[in-house]
Amino acid sequence: MKKTVITLMMSLVATLVMAQENNTHVNDSVTWSKDLDGVTVTRMRRNVKADVDKISYDVKNDADAKASTVLDMLRKVPMVTVDGEDNITVNGSSSFKVYVDGKPNMMMSSAPSQVFKAMPASMVKSIEVVTNPGAKYDAEGGAGVLNIIMNKEMAATMGGTMDGYNGNVRAQAGNKSWGGSAFVSGQQGKLTYSANVMFNHSNPGATTTTMEQEQLGAMASKIVTESSSKPKTPFTMGNLSLSYDVDSMSTLGLTAGITSFRVKNHGYSTTNMGGGLYGNGYSYGTTTDMKMGRTSFNGSIDYQRFLNKERTSSLALTYQLTYAPTNNEMDNKFDLTSAQTTWLNLTDRFSDNKERTTDHIFQADYTTPLSKSTTLNAGLKFSHRKATSDAKYYLADVYSEDLSSEYDYKNSILAGYAEFVSKFGKWSGKAGLRYEQTWQRVNYHLGNGDDFTTNYGNLVPSASLSYSFAPATNLGLTYNMRISRPGISYLNPYVDRSNPTALTYGNPDLDTEKTHSVGLVFNTFTSKLMLNVNLRHSFTDNAIEQYSFYDDANLLNTTYDNTGKNHVSSLNVYVQWMLHKNTRLFLNGGVDYSDMRSKALDLKNNGWHANAMVGLQQTLPADIKLGAYLITSTKRYTLQGWSTGFNILTANLSKTFLNDKLTLTLSAMTGLGNGGKLNIETYSRGKDFTNHMQIKVPMQGFTVSIAYNFGNTKKQFRQHQSRVENDYIEHQSQSESINNAQMGQQ
């Protein structure tokens, strides 16, 4: 009888645990089991928390995070794709915003792949993809918001006294990179703090590029350029976060961070030309040395106060400063292997471009309940950016004023928003409006370009509605409008003449892109299965497109214009299945159809694209953790052409020691086929030219890492998070997003 009662009690405990699981929105990501006198309760903690408006990936509890970079983790995040050249897209678009702990980071917005491939994943707690930003989010970023939450959690509510500290140190070395990082967080009385620092030196190996450029028509000719480059990229980052509980109802926060990377790239190329103006043909060689340095400082002060005892009403005030200087030097030296021509200028040239950008942001956010079921969010924000550019150009070491440029750029944005959030039984909804008034002014002190001033306003609506069929299953309908302002690199009319046969420059007359999106989201999970499905359609009637053409001097010009009408329909699926308590399978993928047209350029293109990451996490004997992943992508289409897909295989093995304080990890990556390299082809066609490029990127690499955790408490500490957001983003095409460290001279 006693044994029967015990058995029944154990069964009841198991049932209650499972019931609790099915009524809780779980977002943990490890698997645990508990033996209860013959009854084994197994529960899968999930990597993904899926809501109607946002998807969160739990990096901190992913076993692979100890040996991976943030870029590696992004390959697992739903709605995010990282291609073979480390270009990042969100829902198929490169127009997205990057935040860190809810605050903008200029470095990550302008060069996300560079930063994320150097940042260890152990520094990050979670990655949020805000697929349907509400009115309180900035209108910038057509595809949404990518928010990086750093690894820190709150020890207690305000006024708590969970004194203690935690931290870790990590070092890694491999055939392509080496570096290390350190992190510490803690609490002492009313003060909570965290700090991290990291360094990484990347040497990815030689990237080779072959480009065939054909001119069509009466002046038919061909140019073939073969190049090789060897980049080196040191990267450093440090952050400090402090918060102080002024009293039981208010908190004062302070953050400061520096991010910096340097790129040194040495390359050599040969160019062969024939036909048309080139006659029987001739050739020349180019030695290119590029040095680029980019540094970003971010600092903020914010004050938050609850306005009632229930803490449902609050006010937040924030000031943020960002300063980001960039230096870019390019040295091109030519050596002729055939006779010089009278029209092609092969004089050695050197350019030195210095840019300085400063952002000031002031923001106030107010939240209050209007009833038991409805909450009002409202706020005001003012942003001011000042940027300067000084590009000096030299021919044969002689300064050329005609080819140089200097200008300053000012952009101010005043924004206000109101948003209502309601919940009625199984229904929940959100609706809001945001208005942004923009003032822009550009003054040219030197070079080709006219001073101009422009003012415009944007009214941005957003809405979502969801229905919960059960605590673990919901269906949602979303709509939003997003904008993408052209950045300096798109507006700057400065003509890049480093290639004697081609010119590249911006367009100061570009307008803001406007993108409308409608989505249907389905989420469900059980004790074994997690499923997220996102069906979405987006359209843009004035998309900024990069295009090329030949001028009267027979030089290929590349610039930008609002000539595109793009429609994209996509289906994204994330599946996580616990096959066994020691075995878990993943699928993160999607398929989309794009239709792109431009009447002004008389161009149109369309096609299907699919991508997927299929993965396995397995616990082996001796508690060794194995992670293996296949990453694949098919051909992707652009307005003027296409680029081929890729296949990558990654794997890692890890083992912990000293009661999980010490972790040793071995990881490896390779491209499938082509000797472990990625062979990427791109093709574009205009009215009078075709361009076919082949890029071979070395992918075979391995890394050994060791990490040690220390501290006097099991609690982690999270600093006060500001609610400030940034209105600015550098609108980038996929070609611009290609890792600068791997560019060869074309």
Side-chain angles (χ1 to χ4, degrees):
M1 180 67 178
K2 183 177 181 180
K3 183 176 181 180
T4 302
V5 172
I6 293 176
T7 302
L8 288 173
M9 291 178 64
M10 295 301 102
S11 300
L12 179 60
V13 171
T15 302
L16 289 174
V17 171
M18 296 300 292
Q20 176 65 24
E21 175 190 354
N22 289 329
N23 286 277
T24 305
H25 202 75
V26 182
N27 66 328
D28 298 325
S29 64
V30 297
T31 303
W32 61 265
S33 62
K34 183 69 175 178
D35 291 326
L36 303 173
D37 289 351
V39 178
T40 301
V41 180
T42 303
R43 174 186 178 186
M44 178 179 67
R45 294 183 178 175
R46 296 169 180 83
N47 299 74
V48 173
K49 177 182 178 181
D51 296 319
V52 174
D53 297 331
K54 180 175 67 176
I55 297 174
S56 300
Y57 189 86
D58 194 340
V59 175
K60 181 175 178 289
N61 287 319
D62 189 323
D64 296 334
K66 297 178 181 179
S68 303
T69 66
V70 175
L71 193 70
D72 296 327
M73 290 291 104
L74 280 172
R75 299 182 191 274
K76 297 183 178 185
V77 177
M79 309 293 292
V80 178
T81 302
V82 182
D83 69 14
E85 295 174 291
D86 296 335
N87 299 318
I88 302 170
T89 58
V90 176
N91 197 35
S93 173
S94 59
S95 177
F96 60 90
K97 299 196 66 176
V98 179
Y99 297 87
V100 176
D101 289 336
K103 304 186 188 76
N105 186 291
M106 187 180 299
M107 176 72 75
M108 294 186 186
S109 292
S110 59
S113 64
Q114 288 276 16
V115 176
F116 293 149
K117 74 192 308 182
M119 184 187 302
S122 58
M123 297 176 63
V124 173
K125 178 188 176 186
S126 63
I127 299 172
E128 296 180 350
V129 183
V130 186
T131 54
N132 187 51
K136 70 176 182 179
Y137 284 90
D138 296 332
E140 190 79 58
V145 174
L146 194 63
N147 188 25
I148 310 299
I149 307 297
M150 302 303 288
N151 190 4
K152 47 202 174 189
E153 295 177 344
M154 187 173 291
T157 58
M158 289 189 296
T161 58
M162 294 290 295
D163 291 348
Y165 66 92
N166 283 320
N168 64 69
V169 291
R170 180 178 181 269
Q172 81 279 347
N175 64 326
K176 292 181 178 296
S177 66
W178 58 272
S181 64
F183 167 77
V184 64
S185 66
Q187 180 175 338
Q188 189 65 42
K190 295 184 177 182
L191 178 67
T192 308
Y193 60 88
S194 71
N196 63 65
V197 63
M198 63 149 295
F199 174 79
N200 185 80
H201 189 282
S202 175
N203 186 14
T207 296
T208 59
T209 303
T210 301
M211 183 174 68
E212 295 184 6
Q213 178 183 311
E214 284 193 67
Q215 184 175 358
L216 308 176
M219 300 298 295
S221 62
K222 178 184 284 189
I223 302 176
V224 179
T225 302
E226 296 181 350
S227 62
S228 177
S229 62
K230 293 183 178 180
K232 296 181 179 180
T233 308
F235 175 91
T236 305
M237 184 179 75
N239 294 281
L240 173 66
S241 179
L242 302 172
S243 70
Y244 181 76
D245 296 337
V246 179
D247 52 42
S248 61
M249 301 293 285
S250 58
T251 302
L252 184 66
L254 171 69
T255 67
I258 295 179
T259 306
S260 176
F261 72 84
R262 301 287 182 267
V263 178
K264 294 183 178 180
N265 194 2
H266 175 78
Y268 184 80
S269 65
T270 59
T271 302
N272 296 282
M273 318 171 77
L277 291 177
Y278 313 130
N280 293 328
Y282 67 96
S283 61
Y284 65 91
T286 308
T287 300
T288 301
D289 287 290
M290 186 267 286
K291 296 180 181 178
M292 183 182 70
R294 179 176 289 171
T295 302
S296 175
F297 167 79
N298 292 273
S300 68
I301 299 176
D302 44 81
Y303 173 78
Q304 295 188 13
R305 180 172 181 82
F306 289 110
L307 304 178
N308 58 0
K309 294 181 179 180
E310 296 78 16
R311 298 186 179 182
T312 56
S313 180
S314 64
L315 176 67
L317 304 174
T318 304
Y319 166 72
Q320 182 175 353
L321 169 67
T322 300
Y323 175 65
T326 301
N327 297 333
N328 194 348
E329 297 180 2
M330 185 77 72
D331 190 8
N332 293 282
K333 298 186 182 301
F334 304 99
D335 50 275
L336 288 173
T337 56
S338 59
Q340 170 69 289
T341 66
T342 58
W343 63 271
L344 185 62
N345 185 356
L346 292 179
T347 304
D348 292 345
R349 59 202 61 185
F350 173 79
S351 63
D352 183 6
N353 189 6
K354 292 182 172 60
E355 295 182 358
R356 302 289 184 269
T357 304
T358 305
D359 279 353
H360 299 275
I361 300 175
F362 303 87
Q363 184 165 333
D365 294 282
Y366 174 69
T367 297
T368 189
L370 300 180
S371 66
K372 292 182 178 180
S373 59
T374 303
T375 300
L376 169 67
N377 300 317
L380 292 172
K381 178 178 179 181
F382 178 73
S383 308
H384 178 71
R385 164 176 286 191
K386 180 179 181 181
T388 61
S389 176
D390 184 6
K392 292 182 168 60
Y393 209 89
Y394 299 82
L395 293 174
D397 297 328
V398 177
Y399 173 67
S400 174
E401 183 173 310
D402 293 338
L403 300 178
S404 302
S405 70
E406 182 181 357
Y407 69 92
D408 61 71
Y409 167 69
K410 294 181 181 179
N411 194 345
S412 298
I413 301 173
L414 179 63
Y417 74 88
E419 182 180 66
F420 296 90
V421 182
S422 299
K423 185 177 178 67
F424 299 95
K426 294 184 177 182
W427 291 91
S428 61
K430 181 190 300 183
L433 279 175
R434 183 181 184 91
Y435 182 80
E436 296 186 349
Q437 180 68 34
T438 303
W439 297 270
Q440 290 181 326
R441 186 178 68 183
V442 176
N443 295 320
Y444 291 94
H445 307 292
L446 181 66
N448 297 323
D450 297 325
D451 297 352
F452 73 88
T453 300
T454 181
N455 305 323
Y456 57 89
N458 296 109
L459 184 63
V460 183
S462 62
S464 65
L465 181 67
S466 66
Y467 180 79
S468 296
F469 297 95
T473 303
N474 63 70
L475 179 69
L477 179 66
T478 65
Y479 163 78
N480 67 53
M481 171 185 160
R482 307 290 292 163
I483 65 174
S484 293
R485 298 180 180 90
I488 294 177
S489 63
Y490 275 61
L491 294 169
N492 187 1
Y494 169 71
V495 181
D496 183 354
R497 303 176 185 270
S498 59
N499 188 335
T501 65
L503 306 177
T504 303
Y505 48 90
N507 179 3
D509 296 324
L510 290 176
D511 293 328
T512 299
E513 279 189 359
K514 298 180 179 65
T515 301
H516 300 266
S517 299
V518 178
L520 190 65
V521 184
F522 176 75
N523 302 302
T524 187
F525 64 84
T526 68
S527 60
K528 300 288 186 180
L529 181 69
M530 163 73 186
L531 174 64
N532 168 255
V533 181
N534 196 310
L535 180 64
R536 181 183 175 104
H537 179 77
S538 302
F539 64 92
T540 307
D541 288 333
N542 66 334
I544 298 175
E545 296 288 351
Q546 176 181 295
Y547 68 98
S548 301
F549 62 93
Y550 275 94
D551 61 17
D552 295 338
N554 212 49
L555 298 176
L556 184 66
N557 288 236
T558 299
T559 186
Y560 312 92
D561 206 349
N562 293 94
T563 60
K565 292 183 180 294
N566 299 338
H567 286 252
V568 180
S569 299
S570 62
L571 175 67
N572 291 272
V573 178
Y574 179 88
V575 181
Q576 182 184 156
W577 180 30
M578 192 174 71
L579 185 63
H580 182 267
K581 67 177 182 179
N582 293 327
T583 307
R584 189 160 39 168
L585 302 177
F586 299 87
L587 170 63
N588 181 25
V591 60
D592 62 75
Y593 179 80
S594 300
D595 185 277
M596 298 150 286
R597 301 172 184 269
S598 173
K599 288 185 178 180
L601 301 177
D602 193 22
L603 293 171
K604 63 180 180 179
N605 202 4
N606 56 73
W608 291 91
H609 167 259
N611 65 277
M613 179 177 187
V614 182
L616 164 71
Q617 285 186 344
Q618 177 71 45
T619 301
L620 302 174
D623 202 30
I624 298 175
K625 308 292 185 182
L626 166 68
Y629 306 93
L630 172 64
I631 306 163
T632 184
S633 178
T634 64
K635 180 184 291 187
R636 182 182 291 275
Y637 293 88
T638 62
L639 178 62
Q640 288 188 301
W642 48 261
S643 60
T644 57
F646 59 90
N647 296 286
I648 300 173
L649 182 64
T650 69
N652 59 73
L653 288 170
S654 63
K655 169 68 176 173
T656 59
F657 305 90
L658 304 178
N659 295 324
D660 292 339
K661 288 186 176 182
L662 183 69
T663 303
L664 182 65
T665 305
L666 172 65
S667 58
M669 172 181 288
T670 184
L672 297 182
N674 303 302
K677 295 183 178 181
L678 286 188
N679 188 5
I680 301 172
E681 295 184 51
T682 62
Y683 175 83
S684 60
R685 181 183 180 91
K687 291 182 179 180
D688 50 8
F689 80 96
T690 64
N691 196 345
H692 184 206
M693 186 185 307
Q694 289 184 308
I695 305 174
K696 293 184 178 180
V697 182
M699 292 295 294
Q700 287 185 328
F702 69 89
T703 302
V704 177
S705 65
I706 185 170
Y708 180 74
N709 298 320
F710 61 88
N712 60 5
T713 175
K714 294 183 180 181
K715 275 283 186 183
Q716 295 291 318
F717 304 90
R718 176 179 62 84
Q719 298 307 317
H720 168 77
Q721 293 186 9
S722 169
R723 297 165 67 178
V724 70
E725 295 145 1
N726 192 6
D727 288 274
Y728 303 104
I729 183 173
E730 193 77 7
H731 182 103
Q732 294 182 330
S733 65
Q734 289 190 15
S735 60
E736 273 197 321
S737 300
I738 292 177
N739 183 351
N740 291 325
Q742 295 182 343
M743 287 194 303
Q745 175 65 23
Q746 300 177 4

